[in-house]
Amino acid sequence: MSKYESVIGLEIHAQLLTESKIFCSCSTTFGNEPNRNICPVCTGQPGVLPVLNKKVVEFAIKTALALHCQIAPYSIFARKQYFYPDLPKDFQISQYELPLATNGYVEINVNGNTRCIRIHRIHLEEDAGKLVHAGSDRIQGSTYSLVDFNRTGVPLMEIVSEPDMATPEEARAYVQEIAALLKSLGVCDAKMEEGSLRCDGNVSIRPVGDKNLGTKTEVKNVNSTKALKDALDAEIVRQIKAVDAGERIIQETRHFNENTGQTISLRSKEEAHDYRYFPEPDLVPLEVSKEWIDEIKQGIGELPAEKIKRYVEQFGIKTEDVETILESPGMAEFFEGAIRLYGKPQIVANWLTGEISAYLNAKKLEIKNSKLKISTLVGMLALIDKGTISGKIAKEVIVKMLDTGKSAEEIVKESGATQISDEGELIKAIQEVIKNNPKPVQDYKDGKKASITFLVGQVMKVTKGRAKPDLVNKLLEKELS
Amino acid sequence: MALTIKDVEHVAKLARLGLSEEEKTTLVDQLSKIFGYMEVLNKIDTKGVLPTSHALPMKNVFRQDKAIPFNNTDEILANGPEVEKRMFKVPKILD
Ligand SMILES: [Zn+2]
């Protein structure tokens, strides 16, 4: 990016994995019949009193600890007032002054570089309802809308970063890091496609080296980390074009349209936001003692960053492999189990991040719901080690294992895909290849030793990969001498 | 500090209140008086007094995380002027 640099800060909204809502006992179950998970409290009937769900606070403290934040000994809730049909009380209970946690950081890895992104604050609030637009698939052009309050009052934790990201790629890595962290803490399932993790990006540009921040815009409506990166890329290009054309950037909210790859202004009639926050009188202040924090601290297991460090140090496997393993739910347990039985961490990692991940991703499966077991994977690796099957054949075998749940031995027996150990059979194949490839054979005899690689490849082809390449090489050399 | 008609119109707009000219004039007067009280309060020396947001000396009132269904959702739905497919029907949002 030529003479401009971009500055990005992100707001992440994470739905917390509690059984009940933040201020009432309604269920948070997703997918129920519309307006089934509602009650007088979350629909804002007169005279009701919200009561804070203790687990919500514990989840937020857990997250704050993992993000190295300062946890406020005293925090309060506030009413954020605005009018929208998905908000039955006409205000959202949130935190404004005195949020639960501030001043943290998280480390991210981008292209092998570690960057520290500061966390500005973490606060708690309630989710709004869901709108279904009639007469159109979206809000534009709809003739009326329908409101489902099942989601109203589902606990949300908002994590606000400092504007510490310099590129859309870093923004993407940051969201991935936060998502992995929330998942491993068990506080949020962090599925952007399903909306359990939402992300808005604040982005501005400035001349390279300038210390002042440019006017920022807020990019919304991204439902994957890729869409976030694409949206920020598009918005940065738009801002640069505008500034180069002598226009002024207006502080506004812009929607990303995934189909066009552009951001569009939501030039609604909304005047400058004036939420008229004031302390929520119905909720008493929240005081978090050191003892409570310590108790929660003890319940936190190994965090992703710690796990990555341990895997790299203890098992000597590549950082990017560890990241792939940790991204996939249940794969870390599978990995550790396989290592206990088999050893050789990098080999196990290669299979998990290679063929197995490809299969699981294509079928949208998690490893624990797949038909592959730790014992069957280890069984297959042992067959490779014994020389019964080649690595190439094993790649086909593993797919069949994932499809059927059978062991490698069974599959190999059924398909006859074992390696040819009978030298007589191999020599027959070698002689055939020599006969059909006079040119490379002559080259070899003329001293171009490298052409043997081609001949080995031909033998492998003839034997459908069932030969051991080093044995073929040895036998070929003998035949050609 | 005296409020103006403009201030009243702004606050009324934020609160989605439609006011007649007469009501606006009344409110300018009444709200200015309320602001006057604040000015009196502002004169009090609060040095060394911790700010508070709540009148009661209470803290940490919690519920356990347990889902208990509310069984009369139909009555809540009955509060809506119009309901379709168990959802509240609202006028179109964007013009
Ligand atoms: Zn409720």
Side-chain angles (χ1 to χ4, degrees), chain A residues 19-21 24-25 33-36 52-54 83 143-147 280 283 285 287, chain B residues 10 14 54 58-60 62-63 65 67-68 70 73 76 79 84 86-88 90 92 95:
Chain A
E19 184 183 309
S20 63
K21 292 184 177 180
C24 65
S25 300
E33 196 185 7
N35 290 310
R36 195 46 84 185
L52 182 58
N53 182 337
K54 193 173 186 188
F83 295 86
T143 45
Y144 61 91
S145 300
L146 297 171
V147 195
E280 166 59 90
L283 286 163
E287 282 189 28
Chain B
H10 175 66
L14 288 173
H54 293 72
M58 286 175 79
K59 59 174 185 184
N60 293 7
F62 297 120
R63 327 178 343 260
D65 181 32
I68 305 163
F70 175 71
T73 55
I76 294 178
N79 280 324
E84 190 177 303
R86 278 191 64 84
M87 288 182 275
F88 295 98
V90 297
K92 76 172 172 185
D95 290 329

mmCIF file of all heavy atoms in Angstrom, chain A residues 19-21 24-25 33-36 52-54 83 143-147 280 283 285 287, chain B residues 10 14 54 58-60 62-63 65 67-68 70 73 76 79 84 86-88 90 92 95:
data_model
loop_
_atom_site.group_PDB
_atom_site.id
_atom_site.type_symbol
_atom_site.label_atom_id
_atom_site.label_comp_id
_atom_site.label_asym_id
_atom_site.label_seq_id
_atom_site.Cartn_x
_atom_site.Cartn_y
_atom_site.Cartn_z
ATOM 1 N N GLU A 19 -26.745 -21.419 30.051
ATOM 2 C CA GLU A 19 -27.997 -22.132 29.824
ATOM 3 C C GLU A 19 -29.154 -21.132 29.761
ATOM 4 O O GLU A 19 -30.087 -21.284 28.991
ATOM 5 C CB GLU A 19 -28.174 -23.091 31.015
ATOM 6 C CG GLU A 19 -29.354 -23.991 30.959
ATOM 7 C CD GLU A 19 -29.434 -24.835 32.235
ATOM 8 O OE1 GLU A 19 -28.407 -25.464 32.609
ATOM 9 O OE2 GLU A 19 -30.494 -24.858 32.856
ATOM 10 N N SER A 20 -29.065 -20.086 30.603
ATOM 11 C CA SER A 20 -30.159 -19.114 30.674
ATOM 12 C C SER A 20 -29.655 -17.728 30.278
ATOM 13 O O SER A 20 -28.456 -17.490 30.177
ATOM 14 C CB SER A 20 -30.746 -19.087 32.083
ATOM 15 O OG SER A 20 -29.781 -18.654 33.016
ATOM 16 N N LYS A 21 -30.605 -16.822 30.083
ATOM 17 C CA LYS A 21 -30.262 -15.473 29.626
ATOM 18 C C LYS A 21 -29.527 -14.672 30.711
ATOM 19 O O LYS A 21 -29.390 -15.128 31.839
ATOM 20 C CB LYS A 21 -31.538 -14.748 29.176
ATOM 21 C CG LYS A 21 -32.154 -15.349 27.903
ATOM 22 C CD LYS A 21 -33.358 -14.561 27.418
ATOM 23 C CE LYS A 21 -33.898 -15.148 26.112
ATOM 24 N NZ LYS A 21 -35.101 -14.392 25.610
ATOM 25 N N CYS A 24 -32.656 -12.939 33.054
ATOM 26 C CA CYS A 24 -33.872 -13.693 33.377
ATOM 27 C C CYS A 24 -33.587 -15.170 33.166
ATOM 28 O O CYS A 24 -32.528 -15.534 32.682
ATOM 29 C CB CYS A 24 -35.052 -13.231 32.520
ATOM 30 S SG CYS A 24 -34.825 -13.564 30.766
ATOM 31 N N SER A 25 -34.560 -16.020 33.511
ATOM 32 C CA SER A 25 -34.319 -17.467 33.475
ATOM 33 C C SER A 25 -34.710 -18.116 32.152
ATOM 34 O O SER A 25 -34.743 -19.337 32.061
ATOM 35 C CB SER A 25 -35.087 -18.138 34.615
ATOM 36 O OG SER A 25 -34.654 -17.613 35.844
ATOM 37 N N GLU A 33 -39.084 -22.534 18.485
ATOM 38 C CA GLU A 33 -40.193 -21.820 17.860
ATOM 39 C C GLU A 33 -40.099 -20.340 18.241
ATOM 40 O O GLU A 33 -39.710 -20.026 19.365
ATOM 41 C CB GLU A 33 -41.458 -22.433 18.461
ATOM 42 C CG GLU A 33 -42.713 -22.150 17.748
ATOM 43 C CD GLU A 33 -43.904 -22.717 18.531
ATOM 44 O OE1 GLU A 33 -43.720 -23.201 19.673
ATOM 45 O OE2 GLU A 33 -44.993 -22.643 18.002
ATOM 46 N N PRO A 34 -40.476 -19.390 17.345
ATOM 47 C CA PRO A 34 -40.348 -17.963 17.678
ATOM 48 C C PRO A 34 -41.073 -17.599 18.974
ATOM 49 O O PRO A 34 -42.126 -18.153 19.281
ATOM 50 C CB PRO A 34 -41.010 -17.262 16.488
ATOM 51 C CG PRO A 34 -40.931 -18.224 15.367
ATOM 52 C CD PRO A 34 -40.969 -19.597 15.978
ATOM 53 N N ASN A 35 -40.464 -16.689 19.711
ATOM 54 C CA ASN A 35 -41.031 -16.176 20.958
ATOM 55 C C ASN A 35 -41.452 -17.269 21.934
ATOM 56 O O ASN A 35 -42.473 -17.165 22.603
ATOM 57 C CB ASN A 35 -42.196 -15.221 20.651
ATOM 58 C CG ASN A 35 -41.677 -13.940 20.027
ATOM 59 O OD1 ASN A 35 -40.752 -13.327 20.538
ATOM 60 N ND2 ASN A 35 -42.260 -13.549 18.899
ATOM 61 N N ARG A 36 -40.664 -18.349 21.996
ATOM 62 C CA ARG A 36 -40.892 -19.410 22.983
ATOM 63 C C ARG A 36 -40.007 -19.125 24.209
ATOM 64 O O ARG A 36 -40.415 -19.317 25.334
ATOM 65 C CB ARG A 36 -40.554 -20.766 22.338
ATOM 66 C CG ARG A 36 -41.049 -21.979 23.043
ATOM 67 C CD ARG A 36 -42.486 -21.913 23.489
ATOM 68 N NE ARG A 36 -43.485 -22.254 22.495
ATOM 69 C CZ ARG A 36 -44.805 -22.143 22.727
ATOM 70 N NH1 ARG A 36 -45.260 -21.710 23.896
ATOM 71 N NH2 ARG A 36 -45.666 -22.464 21.786
ATOM 72 N N LEU A 52 -28.906 -10.462 37.616
ATOM 73 C CA LEU A 52 -27.722 -10.869 36.852
ATOM 74 C C LEU A 52 -27.384 -12.355 37.048
ATOM 75 O O LEU A 52 -27.365 -12.858 38.169
ATOM 76 C CB LEU A 52 -26.536 -9.993 37.300
ATOM 77 C CG LEU A 52 -25.195 -10.199 36.608
ATOM 78 C CD1 LEU A 52 -25.297 -9.999 35.108
ATOM 79 C CD2 LEU A 52 -24.152 -9.233 37.199
ATOM 80 N N ASN A 53 -27.106 -13.016 35.931
ATOM 81 C CA ASN A 53 -26.690 -14.417 35.900
ATOM 82 C C ASN A 53 -25.208 -14.493 36.321
ATOM 83 O O ASN A 53 -24.340 -13.905 35.681
ATOM 84 C CB ASN A 53 -26.877 -14.915 34.457
ATOM 85 C CG ASN A 53 -26.534 -16.373 34.270
ATOM 86 O OD1 ASN A 53 -25.782 -16.952 35.042
ATOM 87 N ND2 ASN A 53 -27.092 -16.960 33.224
ATOM 88 N N LYS A 54 -24.950 -15.228 37.414
ATOM 89 C CA LYS A 54 -23.591 -15.249 37.969
ATOM 90 C C LYS A 54 -22.574 -15.842 36.993
ATOM 91 O O LYS A 54 -21.426 -15.394 36.915
ATOM 92 C CB LYS A 54 -23.591 -16.064 39.272
ATOM 93 C CG LYS A 54 -22.326 -15.878 40.076
ATOM 94 C CD LYS A 54 -22.403 -16.554 41.431
ATOM 95 C CE LYS A 54 -21.166 -16.224 42.251
ATOM 96 N NZ LYS A 54 -21.132 -17.009 43.494
ATOM 97 N N PHE A 83 -34.061 3.363 19.708
ATOM 98 C CA PHE A 83 -35.321 2.761 19.299
ATOM 99 C C PHE A 83 -35.116 1.901 18.074
ATOM 100 O O PHE A 83 -34.625 2.373 17.044
ATOM 101 C CB PHE A 83 -36.352 3.853 18.980
ATOM 102 C CG PHE A 83 -36.730 4.661 20.183
ATOM 103 C CD1 PHE A 83 -35.976 5.766 20.558
ATOM 104 C CD2 PHE A 83 -37.823 4.301 20.950
ATOM 105 C CE1 PHE A 83 -36.319 6.503 21.676
ATOM 106 C CE2 PHE A 83 -38.171 5.042 22.072
ATOM 107 C CZ PHE A 83 -37.415 6.153 22.443
ATOM 108 N N THR A 143 -41.826 -4.977 3.135
ATOM 109 C CA THR A 143 -43.061 -4.222 3.357
ATOM 110 C C THR A 143 -43.397 -4.125 4.838
ATOM 111 O O THR A 143 -44.031 -3.185 5.282
ATOM 112 C CB THR A 143 -44.216 -4.885 2.598
ATOM 113 O OG1 THR A 143 -44.147 -6.291 2.811
ATOM 114 C CG2 THR A 143 -44.097 -4.603 1.106
ATOM 115 N N TYR A 144 -42.976 -5.135 5.603
ATOM 116 C CA TYR A 144 -43.074 -5.063 7.062
ATOM 117 C C TYR A 144 -42.085 -6.064 7.638
ATOM 118 O O TYR A 144 -41.460 -6.820 6.899
ATOM 119 C CB TYR A 144 -44.503 -5.344 7.551
ATOM 120 C CG TYR A 144 -45.043 -6.714 7.206
ATOM 121 C CD1 TYR A 144 -44.875 -7.796 8.078
ATOM 122 C CD2 TYR A 144 -45.720 -6.942 6.011
ATOM 123 C CE1 TYR A 144 -45.374 -9.052 7.766
ATOM 124 C CE2 TYR A 144 -46.213 -8.192 5.687
ATOM 125 C CZ TYR A 144 -46.038 -9.251 6.567
ATOM 126 O OH TYR A 144 -46.518 -10.489 6.245
ATOM 127 N N SER A 145 -41.937 -6.078 8.961
ATOM 128 C CA SER A 145 -40.999 -7.013 9.581
ATOM 129 C C SER A 145 -41.666 -7.742 10.735
ATOM 130 O O SER A 145 -42.640 -7.262 11.308
ATOM 131 C CB SER A 145 -39.759 -6.268 10.069
ATOM 132 O OG SER A 145 -39.113 -5.636 8.976
ATOM 133 N N LEU A 146 -41.109 -8.905 11.066
ATOM 134 C CA LEU A 146 -41.609 -9.702 12.179
ATOM 135 C C LEU A 146 -40.506 -9.827 13.216
ATOM 136 O O LEU A 146 -39.341 -9.988 12.872
ATOM 137 C CB LEU A 146 -42.024 -11.095 11.682
ATOM 138 C CG LEU A 146 -43.170 -11.101 10.663
ATOM 139 C CD1 LEU A 146 -43.346 -12.489 10.065
ATOM 140 C CD2 LEU A 146 -44.473 -10.642 11.335
ATOM 141 N N VAL A 147 -40.882 -9.748 14.486
ATOM 142 C CA VAL A 147 -39.880 -9.737 15.540
ATOM 143 C C VAL A 147 -39.985 -10.994 16.410
ATOM 144 O O VAL A 147 -41.056 -11.342 16.895
ATOM 145 C CB VAL A 147 -40.039 -8.506 16.465
ATOM 146 C CG1 VAL A 147 -38.787 -8.321 17.307
ATOM 147 C CG2 VAL A 147 -40.330 -7.253 15.662
ATOM 148 N N GLU A 280 -28.067 1.833 35.240
ATOM 149 C CA GLU A 280 -29.276 1.012 35.342
ATOM 150 C C GLU A 280 -29.681 0.914 36.814
ATOM 151 O O GLU A 280 -28.979 0.290 37.624
ATOM 152 C CB GLU A 280 -28.970 -0.371 34.759
ATOM 153 C CG GLU A 280 -29.968 -1.461 35.050
ATOM 154 C CD GLU A 280 -31.377 -1.157 34.563
ATOM 155 O OE1 GLU A 280 -31.712 -1.503 33.420
ATOM 156 O OE2 GLU A 280 -32.141 -0.566 35.364
ATOM 157 N N LEU A 283 -30.284 -2.739 38.566
ATOM 158 C CA LEU A 283 -29.213 -3.714 38.829
ATOM 159 C C LEU A 283 -28.211 -3.097 39.799
ATOM 160 O O LEU A 283 -27.698 -2.001 39.561
ATOM 161 C CB LEU A 283 -28.499 -4.082 37.532
ATOM 162 C CG LEU A 283 -29.274 -5.001 36.590
ATOM 163 C CD1 LEU A 283 -28.667 -4.958 35.198
ATOM 164 C CD2 LEU A 283 -29.316 -6.433 37.110
ATOM 165 N N PRO A 285 -24.650 -2.611 41.902
ATOM 166 C CA PRO A 285 -23.256 -2.677 41.429
ATOM 167 C C PRO A 285 -22.649 -4.072 41.593
ATOM 168 O O PRO A 285 -23.094 -4.869 42.430
ATOM 169 C CB PRO A 285 -22.535 -1.670 42.329
ATOM 170 C CG PRO A 285 -23.590 -0.745 42.798
ATOM 171 C CD PRO A 285 -24.834 -1.572 42.913
ATOM 172 N N GLU A 287 -19.352 -6.154 42.446
ATOM 173 C CA GLU A 287 -18.017 -6.083 43.057
ATOM 174 C C GLU A 287 -17.333 -7.424 42.918
ATOM 175 O O GLU A 287 -17.889 -8.456 43.274
ATOM 176 C CB GLU A 287 -18.136 -5.688 44.538
ATOM 177 C CG GLU A 287 -18.395 -4.200 44.700
ATOM 178 C CD GLU A 287 -18.311 -3.730 46.152
ATOM 179 O OE1 GLU A 287 -17.572 -4.357 46.948
ATOM 180 O OE2 GLU A 287 -18.988 -2.740 46.472
ATOM 181 N N HIS B 10 -34.988 18.633 20.581
ATOM 182 C CA HIS B 10 -33.983 17.578 20.396
ATOM 183 C C HIS B 10 -34.268 16.391 21.322
ATOM 184 O O HIS B 10 -34.323 15.233 20.875
ATOM 185 C CB HIS B 10 -32.583 18.140 20.675
ATOM 186 C CG HIS B 10 -31.501 17.105 20.622
ATOM 187 N ND1 HIS B 10 -31.174 16.449 19.446
ATOM 188 C CD2 HIS B 10 -30.689 16.604 21.575
ATOM 189 C CE1 HIS B 10 -30.201 15.588 19.697
ATOM 190 N NE2 HIS B 10 -29.880 15.663 20.976
ATOM 191 N N LEU B 14 -35.416 12.490 20.411
ATOM 192 C CA LEU B 14 -34.712 11.293 20.863
ATOM 193 C C LEU B 14 -35.665 10.347 21.591
ATOM 194 O O LEU B 14 -35.521 9.138 21.534
ATOM 195 C CB LEU B 14 -33.552 11.674 21.792
ATOM 196 C CG LEU B 14 -32.340 12.338 21.134
ATOM 197 C CD1 LEU B 14 -31.367 12.807 22.206
ATOM 198 C CD2 LEU B 14 -31.653 11.361 20.189
ATOM 199 N N HIS B 54 -26.091 4.292 42.731
ATOM 200 C CA HIS B 54 -27.280 3.661 43.293
ATOM 201 C C HIS B 54 -27.563 4.184 44.695
ATOM 202 O O HIS B 54 -26.635 4.500 45.439
ATOM 203 C CB HIS B 54 -27.106 2.144 43.340
ATOM 204 C CG HIS B 54 -27.050 1.533 41.982
ATOM 205 N ND1 HIS B 54 -25.964 1.682 41.143
ATOM 206 C CD2 HIS B 54 -27.952 0.778 41.303
ATOM 207 C CE1 HIS B 54 -26.206 1.048 40.014
ATOM 208 N NE2 HIS B 54 -27.397 0.494 40.083
ATOM 209 N N MET B 58 -26.319 -1.862 48.343
ATOM 210 C CA MET B 58 -26.384 -3.293 48.017
ATOM 211 C C MET B 58 -25.399 -3.579 46.893
ATOM 212 O O MET B 58 -25.051 -2.707 46.120
ATOM 213 C CB MET B 58 -27.780 -3.669 47.522
ATOM 214 C CG MET B 58 -28.821 -3.735 48.601
ATOM 215 S SD MET B 58 -30.440 -4.032 47.857
ATOM 216 C CE MET B 58 -30.332 -5.792 47.552
ATOM 217 N N LYS B 59 -24.956 -4.847 46.791
ATOM 218 C CA LYS B 59 -24.083 -5.242 45.680
ATOM 219 C C LYS B 59 -24.265 -6.726 45.399
ATOM 220 O O LYS B 59 -24.805 -7.465 46.228
ATOM 221 C CB LYS B 59 -22.630 -4.940 46.040
ATOM 222 C CG LYS B 59 -22.193 -5.672 47.291
ATOM 223 C CD LYS B 59 -20.734 -5.512 47.612
ATOM 224 C CE LYS B 59 -20.400 -6.394 48.818
ATOM 225 N NZ LYS B 59 -19.050 -6.275 49.282
ATOM 226 N N ASN B 60 -23.800 -7.151 44.248
ATOM 227 C CA ASN B 60 -23.738 -8.571 43.876
ATOM 228 C C ASN B 60 -25.011 -9.362 44.156
ATOM 229 O O ASN B 60 -24.995 -10.319 44.918
ATOM 230 C CB ASN B 60 -22.554 -9.247 44.590
ATOM 231 C CG ASN B 60 -21.228 -8.722 44.081
ATOM 232 O OD1 ASN B 60 -21.199 -7.772 43.297
ATOM 233 N ND2 ASN B 60 -20.137 -9.331 44.505
ATOM 234 N N PHE B 62 -27.227 -11.995 42.495
ATOM 235 C CA PHE B 62 -27.095 -12.891 41.346
ATOM 236 C C PHE B 62 -28.216 -13.925 41.273
ATOM 237 O O PHE B 62 -28.835 -14.237 42.286
ATOM 238 C CB PHE B 62 -25.782 -13.693 41.435
ATOM 239 C CG PHE B 62 -24.545 -12.850 41.375
ATOM 240 C CD1 PHE B 62 -23.639 -12.847 42.430
ATOM 241 C CD2 PHE B 62 -24.265 -12.092 40.249
ATOM 242 C CE1 PHE B 62 -22.481 -12.096 42.376
ATOM 243 C CE2 PHE B 62 -23.110 -11.330 40.191
ATOM 244 C CZ PHE B 62 -22.216 -11.332 41.256
ATOM 245 N N ARG B 63 -28.385 -14.488 40.073
ATOM 246 C CA ARG B 63 -29.172 -15.712 39.906
ATOM 247 C C ARG B 63 -28.184 -16.797 39.478
ATOM 248 O O ARG B 63 -27.147 -16.501 38.889
ATOM 249 C CB ARG B 63 -30.191 -15.677 38.759
ATOM 250 C CG ARG B 63 -30.850 -14.463 38.395
ATOM 251 C CD ARG B 63 -31.791 -14.657 37.174
ATOM 252 N NE ARG B 63 -31.544 -15.865 36.421
ATOM 253 C CZ ARG B 63 -30.861 -15.883 35.288
ATOM 254 N NH1 ARG B 63 -30.329 -14.801 34.780
ATOM 255 N NH2 ARG B 63 -30.698 -17.015 34.655
ATOM 256 N N ASP B 65 -27.243 -19.930 37.019
ATOM 257 C CA ASP B 65 -27.539 -20.123 35.595
ATOM 258 C C ASP B 65 -28.405 -21.363 35.391
ATOM 259 O O ASP B 65 -27.911 -22.447 35.119
ATOM 260 C CB ASP B 65 -26.224 -20.270 34.812
ATOM 261 C CG ASP B 65 -26.483 -20.459 33.323
ATOM 262 O OD1 ASP B 65 -27.475 -19.896 32.831
ATOM 263 O OD2 ASP B 65 -25.701 -21.170 32.673
ATOM 264 N N ALA B 67 -32.088 -22.576 33.465
ATOM 265 C CA ALA B 67 -33.186 -22.163 32.574
ATOM 266 C C ALA B 67 -34.520 -22.644 33.130
ATOM 267 O O ALA B 67 -34.687 -23.828 33.429
ATOM 268 C CB ALA B 67 -32.959 -22.727 31.177
ATOM 269 N N ILE B 68 -35.423 -21.713 33.314
ATOM 270 C CA ILE B 68 -36.781 -22.055 33.753
ATOM 271 C C ILE B 68 -37.743 -21.438 32.743
ATOM 272 O O ILE B 68 -37.815 -20.219 32.623
ATOM 273 C CB ILE B 68 -37.079 -21.489 35.165
ATOM 274 C CG1 ILE B 68 -36.014 -21.980 36.157
ATOM 275 C CG2 ILE B 68 -38.479 -21.875 35.619
ATOM 276 C CD1 ILE B 68 -35.981 -21.182 37.444
ATOM 277 N N PHE B 70 -40.867 -19.840 30.893
ATOM 278 C CA PHE B 70 -42.033 -19.062 31.282
ATOM 279 C C PHE B 70 -43.199 -19.626 30.464
ATOM 280 O O PHE B 70 -43.106 -19.731 29.244
ATOM 281 C CB PHE B 70 -41.795 -17.580 30.958
ATOM 282 C CG PHE B 70 -42.981 -16.712 31.215
ATOM 283 C CD1 PHE B 70 -43.369 -16.447 32.522
ATOM 284 C CD2 PHE B 70 -43.708 -16.159 30.170
ATOM 285 C CE1 PHE B 70 -44.465 -15.640 32.784
ATOM 286 C CE2 PHE B 70 -44.804 -15.354 30.420
ATOM 287 C CZ PHE B 70 -45.188 -15.092 31.730
ATOM 288 N N THR B 73 -46.222 -17.513 27.375
ATOM 289 C CA THR B 73 -45.709 -16.671 26.286
ATOM 290 C C THR B 73 -46.846 -16.152 25.397
ATOM 291 O O THR B 73 -46.724 -15.095 24.791
ATOM 292 C CB THR B 73 -44.692 -17.440 25.419
ATOM 293 O OG1 THR B 73 -45.311 -18.634 24.968
ATOM 294 C CG2 THR B 73 -43.454 -17.789 26.201
ATOM 295 N N ILE B 76 -47.932 -12.815 26.413
ATOM 296 C CA ILE B 76 -47.014 -11.756 25.985
ATOM 297 C C ILE B 76 -47.289 -11.414 24.515
ATOM 298 O O ILE B 76 -47.388 -10.246 24.143
ATOM 299 C CB ILE B 76 -45.539 -12.186 26.174
ATOM 300 C CG1 ILE B 76 -45.242 -12.345 27.670
ATOM 301 C CG2 ILE B 76 -44.590 -11.166 25.544
ATOM 302 C CD1 ILE B 76 -43.837 -12.820 27.978
ATOM 303 N N ASN B 79 -50.068 -9.074 23.713
ATOM 304 C CA ASN B 79 -49.852 -7.635 23.889
ATOM 305 C C ASN B 79 -49.554 -6.921 22.581
ATOM 306 O O ASN B 79 -49.641 -5.700 22.499
ATOM 307 C CB ASN B 79 -48.669 -7.388 24.829
ATOM 308 C CG ASN B 79 -49.058 -7.553 26.277
ATOM 309 O OD1 ASN B 79 -50.158 -7.200 26.658
ATOM 310 N ND2 ASN B 79 -48.159 -8.105 27.068
ATOM 311 N N GLU B 84 -47.919 -12.405 13.684
ATOM 312 C CA GLU B 84 -47.939 -13.316 12.538
ATOM 313 C C GLU B 84 -46.889 -14.391 12.774
ATOM 314 O O GLU B 84 -45.759 -14.082 13.121
ATOM 315 C CB GLU B 84 -47.614 -12.513 11.265
ATOM 316 C CG GLU B 84 -47.838 -13.279 9.980
ATOM 317 C CD GLU B 84 -47.554 -12.393 8.751
ATOM 318 O OE1 GLU B 84 -48.174 -11.320 8.608
ATOM 319 O OE2 GLU B 84 -46.675 -12.783 7.954
ATOM 320 N N ARG B 86 -46.399 -16.381 15.210
ATOM 321 C CA ARG B 86 -45.879 -16.231 16.587
ATOM 322 C C ARG B 86 -44.876 -15.070 16.704
ATOM 323 O O ARG B 86 -44.096 -15.006 17.653
ATOM 324 C CB ARG B 86 -45.197 -17.513 17.082
ATOM 325 C CG ARG B 86 -46.161 -18.567 17.614
ATOM 326 C CD ARG B 86 -45.410 -19.681 18.338
ATOM 327 N NE ARG B 86 -44.715 -19.200 19.530
ATOM 328 C CZ ARG B 86 -45.290 -19.051 20.715
ATOM 329 N NH1 ARG B 86 -46.550 -19.352 20.884
ATOM 330 N NH2 ARG B 86 -44.590 -18.615 21.741
ATOM 331 N N MET B 87 -44.842 -14.163 15.741
ATOM 332 C CA MET B 87 -43.914 -13.032 15.844
ATOM 333 C C MET B 87 -44.692 -11.718 15.836
ATOM 334 O O MET B 87 -45.781 -11.644 15.267
ATOM 335 C CB MET B 87 -42.901 -13.063 14.701
ATOM 336 C CG MET B 87 -41.877 -14.193 14.868
ATOM 337 S SD MET B 87 -40.644 -14.221 13.568
ATOM 338 C CE MET B 87 -41.489 -15.163 12.322
ATOM 339 N N PHE B 88 -44.095 -10.710 16.477
ATOM 340 C CA PHE B 88 -44.715 -9.392 16.500
ATOM 341 C C PHE B 88 -44.527 -8.733 15.137
ATOM 342 O O PHE B 88 -43.411 -8.686 14.619
ATOM 343 C CB PHE B 88 -44.078 -8.514 17.588
ATOM 344 C CG PHE B 88 -44.326 -9.016 18.983
ATOM 345 C CD1 PHE B 88 -43.374 -9.779 19.651
ATOM 346 C CD2 PHE B 88 -45.527 -8.733 19.633
ATOM 347 C CE1 PHE B 88 -43.603 -10.251 20.932
ATOM 348 C CE2 PHE B 88 -45.758 -9.196 20.923
ATOM 349 C CZ PHE B 88 -44.802 -9.955 21.581
ATOM 350 N N VAL B 90 -44.295 -5.569 12.822
ATOM 351 C CA VAL B 90 -43.990 -4.131 12.950
ATOM 352 C C VAL B 90 -43.938 -3.493 11.568
ATOM 353 O O VAL B 90 -43.653 -4.160 10.578
ATOM 354 C CB VAL B 90 -42.647 -3.892 13.693
ATOM 355 C CG1 VAL B 90 -42.707 -4.406 15.112
ATOM 356 C CG2 VAL B 90 -41.481 -4.518 12.937
ATOM 357 N N LYS B 92 -42.747 -1.284 8.292
ATOM 358 C CA LYS B 92 -41.440 -1.378 7.637
ATOM 359 C C LYS B 92 -40.454 -0.377 8.253
ATOM 360 O O LYS B 92 -40.835 0.716 8.674
ATOM 361 C CB LYS B 92 -41.576 -1.207 6.128
ATOM 362 C CG LYS B 92 -41.801 0.175 5.603
ATOM 363 C CD LYS B 92 -41.706 0.102 4.081
ATOM 364 C CE LYS B 92 -42.108 1.417 3.468
ATOM 365 N NZ LYS B 92 -42.151 1.343 2.010
ATOM 366 N N ASP B 95 -37.448 3.551 4.931
ATOM 367 C CA ASP B 95 -38.356 4.138 3.947
ATOM 368 C C ASP B 95 -37.888 3.809 2.536
ATOM 369 O O ASP B 95 -36.725 3.708 2.282
ATOM 370 C CB ASP B 95 -38.403 5.657 4.120
ATOM 371 C CG ASP B 95 -39.111 6.025 5.405
ATOM 372 O OD1 ASP B 95 -40.017 5.250 5.796
ATOM 373 O OD2 ASP B 95 -38.748 7.049 6.016
#
